[in-house]
Amino acid sequence: MDFGPHLLLAMLEGLVQASVLTLTALGLSLVFGVMRVVNVAHGEFFMLGAVLAWWITFLVGGPPALAFIVALLVAPLLVGTIAAAADWLVLRRIDYDPERTIVATIGLLYIIQQLTLMSYGPDARPVAPPFNTRLALPWFEFGSGGVQIYWPWGLSITSYKLFVIFAALLTGLALWAVMARSRLGLILRATQQDRETAQAFGVPVERVYALVFGLGAALAALGATLVVPIQQAHYLMGGDPLLLSFIVVIIGGLGSLRGTVVAAILIGMSDGIISVFFSPTLAKMLATLLVAMVLVFRPQGLFGSKPA
Amino acid sequence: MSRAVGLHLGVIAALLALQFVLPAYHHGVLARVMVMAVFAMGYNVMFGYTGLLSLGHAMFFAAGMYGMGLAMKQWDVPLVPAFLLGIAAAFLLALVVGVLALRTAGVAFMIVTLMFSQSLFLAILHFGAITRGDEGFALARSLRQVAGLDLAAPATRYFAAWGLFSVVLLGTLALVRSRRGRVLVAIRENEERTRMLGYDVWRHKLMAVVVSGTICGAAGAAYGVLFGYVGASFSQVPYSIFPLLWVLLGGAGTVIGPFVGTLFMFYLIDLSSGLTDAYMLVVGVALVLLTLFLPRGLMGSLRDRGMKWLP
């Protein structure tokens, strides 16, 4: 394949990754924004979503499309409930102290990971995509006879991958609508701005926190459910999404949802493109160092306005 | 001699005496615990006394280990200079990381240290031609000899671990009882007020990072020498979490706490391995229970209940 079509292919793959990353990072960003705590177990909620999606499709059986739709609805709900319960049982009791929350969520990380290992096992398992038509894409070339359109071999995308991009877009818009237009969003924003004043105005802050923590985890689980037909479910799959979400949330500015979306698309795309053309280890290493440097020299992130 | 000095000398003496009575298995475990307790004590200087929570201390452990291991393996440096090179590597890394990371605070500090550590792990993988990547490399027994002593033999290994442990235990005791140590505690308790009293907070914090990183590097180098293996897994996230766990369990901000926590956790995992292979589950449950019910750790709780003199 020539460079041009190859680049387009890398960008499409990058866009799929960026979609999933956007959902996962939005979850982390929401939790950080409203609750001011870092959830280190976020990657494990992602993994739990993928593993539950496998269980659900396995138990439902029947045509892949039906089983997948059930998984898409139930897996995030289950993960969200588990996360809300963890918040209620653990984080609420340590009063959301930032440092102790990190230690406690590290604990949660290992508990979820190891319980999955004990029940689900060490194997990676795929989920059948509900539909998977291969769509060939055209490419243009400026030859001697003007513009030519042809169909390079290998330049294609599946209908399922398009669906992932579309679903992420839809979820993002829905989240924006909730945050900006609904009464719930108003309560969330009030809690984010000033916890005590919100409480004084009758906002049940503790329940809001549990809800936000659950919602954040559910977003990660939704991203994971979307990704299992492309990438298999495995008990260690939470590490990369966690690190990438961290990076995205930092670059986007801690607590800014708009910045998170921009950064997720930027990083998901470049991660996809870089890993097609360069060694993934080197790319990851440079990206990690770069982000650490951003945090050192510009702690408010690239899009954040207030210092964190 | 104060009660505090007496207690720590007593622990050192007891560990020396145990060398002659312990059965082989526990003898080996205790040697490992002492080296890892050095790692935890190094972590404690930063976390327990200065209040800086790092999530990347595996990088200092690995810097010491690889500094020592690569010097021996690649450039045929003899053991003692190689060991010192390992410590020097950790010292330099701590200095650089300290200067950069101390520009941030709180949650950002944790994430920055985590990311620097992750970069070192990825660098070890990337330069796999030298470091042997994921696999790591073993140090032959013939390399692990010093002045006619075989450091791979259980008895000398125990003595070497005990020696390092004693030096670091008494060193941290001296540090926290010194003027500088008190400034560190003051920074932990109230950074603004310490600055207002005229202390250079940044320099004291940097000192804490460098001392902490160097001690952890010594632990990494010693682990490589005594147990003959250098591997990338020691630079991964769990090895940044372990010292945090040990210190929290034993009691952050107590000199003896890190050793107590390490000992306790090693035997807890040892006992639970009969029940399940997923030993990290025990680690996770311990972390959650500690933050919920025993935030000050075993020794910290003892200090709260009457043993006020515990340093």
Side-chain angles (χ1 to χ4, degrees), chain B residues 188-260:
Chain B
R188 179 189 73 194
E189 293 302 323
N190 192 330
E191 189 172 329
E192 279 311 307
R193 189 173 296 173
T194 314
R195 185 173 294 128
M196 204 188 71
L197 286 171
Y199 291 102
D200 189 339
V201 167
W202 192 83
R203 277 186 63 166
H204 278 90
K205 275 183 174 177
L206 185 62
M207 182 197 79
V209 174
V210 170
V211 168
S212 172
T214 310
I215 294 175
C216 294
Y223 197 90
V225 168
L226 297 179
F227 300 97
Y229 173 67
V230 173
S233 61
F234 291 105
S235 66
Q236 270 183 293
V237 180
Y239 276 85
S240 292
I241 307 302
F242 287 144
L244 170 67
L245 172 65
W246 295 330
V247 168
L248 276 174
L249 179 57
T254 62
V255 174
I256 195 73
F259 171 68
V260 175

Side-chain angles (χ1 to χ4, degrees), chain A residues 125-168:
Chain A
R125 295 171 211 199
V127 167
F131 41 82
N132 208 16
T133 329
R134 191 160 281 283
L135 307 167
L137 295 168
W139 185 253
F140 308 92
E141 195 158 275
F142 300 98
S144 51
V147 180
Q148 280 182 316
I149 298 178
Y150 69 109
W151 305 79
W153 188 84
L155 179 62
S156 64
I157 188 165
T158 62
S159 56
Y160 181 72
K161 286 183 177 171
L162 283 179
F163 167 73
V164 170
I165 298 171
F166 179 70

Side-chain angles (χ1 to χ4, degrees), chain A residues 38 93-94 99-100 102-104 106-107 110-111 114 247 250 281-282 284-285 288-289 291 293 295-297, chain B residues 53 100 103-104 107-108 110-112 115 119 122-123 126 238 241 248 276 278 280-281 284-285 287-288 291-292:
Chain A
V38 174
R93 295 188 184 207
I94 55 176
E99 300 203 342
R100 285 170 73 193
I102 287 198
V103 177
I106 291 171
Y110 287 123
I111 292 174
Q114 298 295 310
I247 293 177
I250 291 163
T281 315
L282 184 65
K284 247 196 234 167
M285 183 173 93
T288 313
L289 265 182
V291 171
M293 288 303 172
L295 200 52
V296 165
F297 291 104
Chain B
L53 202 166
L100 290 171
R103 293 174 58 101
T104 63
V107 171
M110 301 174 205
I111 297 175
V112 167
M115 290 191 157
S119 310
L122 291 169
H126 184 68
I241 307 302
L248 276 174
T276 167
M280 290 304 285
L281 182 65
V285 172
L287 280 170
V288 172
T291 44
L292 276 179

Side-chain angles (χ1 to χ4, degrees), chain A residues 262-285:
Chain A
V262 176
I265 294 171
L266 204 72
I267 293 192
M269 293 281 288
S270 45
D271 192 60
I273 294 170
I274 289 172
S275 55
V276 167
F277 292 106
F278 297 98
S279 132
T281 315
L282 184 65
K284 247 196 234 167
M285 183 173 93

Side-chain angles (χ1 to χ4, degrees), chain A residues 94-116:
Chain A
I94 55 176
D95 206 24
Y96 304 100
D97 175 84
E99 300 203 342
R100 285 170 73 193
T101 299
I102 287 198
V103 177
T105 50
I106 291 171
L108 279 179
L109 182 165
Y110 287 123
I111 292 174
I112 296 172
Q113 193 181 80
Q114 298 295 310
L115 285 179
T116 309

